[in-house]
Amino acid sequence: MEIIAIPVPRPKLSSQSRIGARLPDFIMLMKPRVMALAVFTAVVGLMIAPGRLDPLLGTTAILAIAAGAGAAGVLNMWYDADIDALMRRTATRPIPRNKVSRREALAFGLTLGTSAVALLAFVLNVTAATLLASAILFYVVIYTVWLKRSTSQNIVIGGIAGAFPPVIGWAAATGEIALEPFILFLIIFLWTPPHFWALSLNRADEYARAGIPMLPVVAGTTATTRQILIYSILLLPISMLPCALGFADLLFGTAAVTCGAILVALAFQLHRSKGTDRRSAQRLFAFSILYLFVLFAALLLSNIGNRWSSTIHAQSNFTSWSQAETPVGPLDNVGNSISLNVDEI
């Protein structure tokens, strides 16, 4: 008996299924781990700002900042697709693996970034939206397109973009830029070189192959570890400024001194090995992530504690006033009214 094979067509995936299958690739383009740390610092900037922001507006601000940070990551991967394919650390990204085309990445990044800035401008304020747009443009145009492939100081200058989030969070809550978020900006700015150079020490051969003039490639490992130590030492006193300026308490001060001392010790250990100890570089890189998280978490907790204490104190004053003897004359009423208003101010 002759057997006839009948071809059975493969079931076609629906458009929703295709989108669902590719969603992880588009999320990966946004650099979610980098984005998460940036968003956390923005949340801290927003939460410690004076005044009270409506929870819905606060959530909207954080979503817009997250989308903006994600858009910067997408556009970075779009432009760097050629060198990403040459490096082991980045070769598994969606564009080198042909999971997402460069055209799709460009369209996604532009749409995401524009929407994030517009949302922040219309729902919150123009100041925060301008800062978010500036951060995206700085990261994509100044760092990715220009600095990354032209100078060994790419991380130092490019770190400005990564230091923006707490300033954007503060501006979203207040509509202004103040000294406090600038100090947070400065902490992240000084933290970025040790953090990223520690990573690049163990990837110097990959950067060299891709033609990226990272500091270990251009100046060597000894010079790089020396710069890491210098920035780590500079970061320690700067991290204490929130306490000196009165917008952080002992909890933050303890975290800043402890974590800062550990960071300097790890940087000194790495410098003593002249960059030859790969584990020392890995330890410093891993701890630097923990350092920034602990520092900003302590700042958030110290401010929440201060606000809670202020709320209890205000409620206690109000209770004492309400239980006091009611004044008799009209002039006494006016005097007490003025006194209460001054306390509120």
Side-chain angles (χ1 to χ4, degrees):
M1 173 184 281
E2 184 180 358
I3 299 176
I4 301 175
I6 302 175
V8 178
R10 292 182 179 180
K12 293 185 178 180
L13 293 173
S14 65
S15 58
Q16 289 184 345
S17 299
R18 287 198 299 270
I19 293 173
R22 301 185 69 199
L23 184 60
D25 294 315
F26 282 96
I27 293 175
M28 188 177 177
L29 283 175
M30 297 169 67
K31 298 186 176 181
R33 285 183 292 184
V34 176
M35 182 179 70
L37 194 57
V39 170
F40 178 64
T41 62
V43 169
V44 174
L46 186 146
M47 291 290 290
I48 70 171
R52 294 184 180 276
L53 188 64
D54 178 83
L56 181 60
L57 292 178
T59 302
T60 303
I62 295 306
L63 288 175
I65 294 170
V74 173
L75 294 173
N76 171 267
M77 287 200 192
W78 159 74
Y79 190 82
D80 279 351
D82 57 334
I83 60 176
D84 282 349
L86 301 175
M87 299 176 63
R88 187 168 61 254
R89 182 176 67 90
T90 55
T92 58
R93 288 176 173 177
I95 299 177
R97 288 190 298 127
N98 294 318
K99 295 291 185 178
V100 178
S101 70
R102 293 189 71 174
R103 180 178 297 180
E104 289 174 322
L106 177 61
F108 179 49
L110 291 175
T111 301
L112 194 61
T114 303
S115 301
V117 172
L119 181 63
L120 209 53
F122 286 113
V123 178
L124 275 303
N125 58 72
V126 174
T127 302
T130 302
L131 288 170
L132 180 61
S134 300
I136 296 171
L137 288 173
F138 197 98
Y139 185 72
V140 176
V141 178
I142 304 299
Y143 169 68
T144 303
V145 176
W146 177 30
L147 296 173
K148 186 173 182 178
R149 306 185 188 214
S150 62
T151 173
S152 61
Q153 294 299 305
N154 46 22
I155 289 301
V156 178
I157 306 170
I160 292 175
F164 263 104
V167 185
I168 301 171
W170 181 285
T174 65
E176 300 174 348
I177 302 174
L179 179 61
E180 293 90 338
F182 176 74
I183 298 302
L184 303 184
F185 172 95
L186 193 57
I187 289 172
I188 299 175
F189 176 75
L190 292 174
W191 166 87
T192 301
H195 165 71
F196 206 91
W197 281 334
L199 171 67
S200 65
L201 277 170
N202 289 338
R203 305 285 183 175
D205 56 338
E206 295 184 37
Y207 283 113
R209 186 166 59 251
I212 304 300
M214 293 300 294
L215 191 62
V217 176
V218 175
T221 56
T222 303
T224 302
T225 59
R226 182 170 58 248
Q227 289 296 312
I228 289 174
L229 180 60
I230 290 172
Y231 274 95
S232 299
I233 293 172
L234 288 174
L235 181 58
L236 184 55
I238 296 300
S239 68
M240 293 301 298
L241 285 178
C243 287
L245 295 173
F247 67 97
D249 62 10
L250 184 60
L251 172 65
F252 175 85
T254 303
V257 170
T258 303
C259 293
I262 295 173
L263 187 69
V264 170
L266 290 173
F268 181 76
Q269 184 183 44
L270 178 63
H271 179 57
R272 191 170 56 182
S273 74
K274 298 182 179 180
T276 58
D277 187 357
R278 297 177 64 90
R279 288 177 298 179
S280 293
Q282 290 169 352
R283 278 195 297 267
L284 195 149
F285 173 74
F287 180 77
S288 66
I289 299 173
L290 179 64
Y291 169 91
L292 196 65
F293 174 78
V294 169
L295 210 65
F296 274 77
L299 180 61
L300 181 60
L301 289 173
S302 66
N303 275 269
I304 289 175
N306 290 338
R307 287 193 176 190
W308 178 251
S309 299
S310 300
T311 302
I312 293 176
H313 181 68
Q315 289 176 346
S316 176
N317 287 343
F318 178 77
T319 302
S320 300
W321 173 82
S322 63
Q323 291 176 350
E325 183 179 353
T326 305
V328 177
L331 291 177
D332 289 333
N333 275 323
V334 172
N336 278 279
S337 176
I338 293 173
S339 177
L340 178 62
N341 288 333
V342 170
D343 288 342
E344 288 176 344
I345 291 170

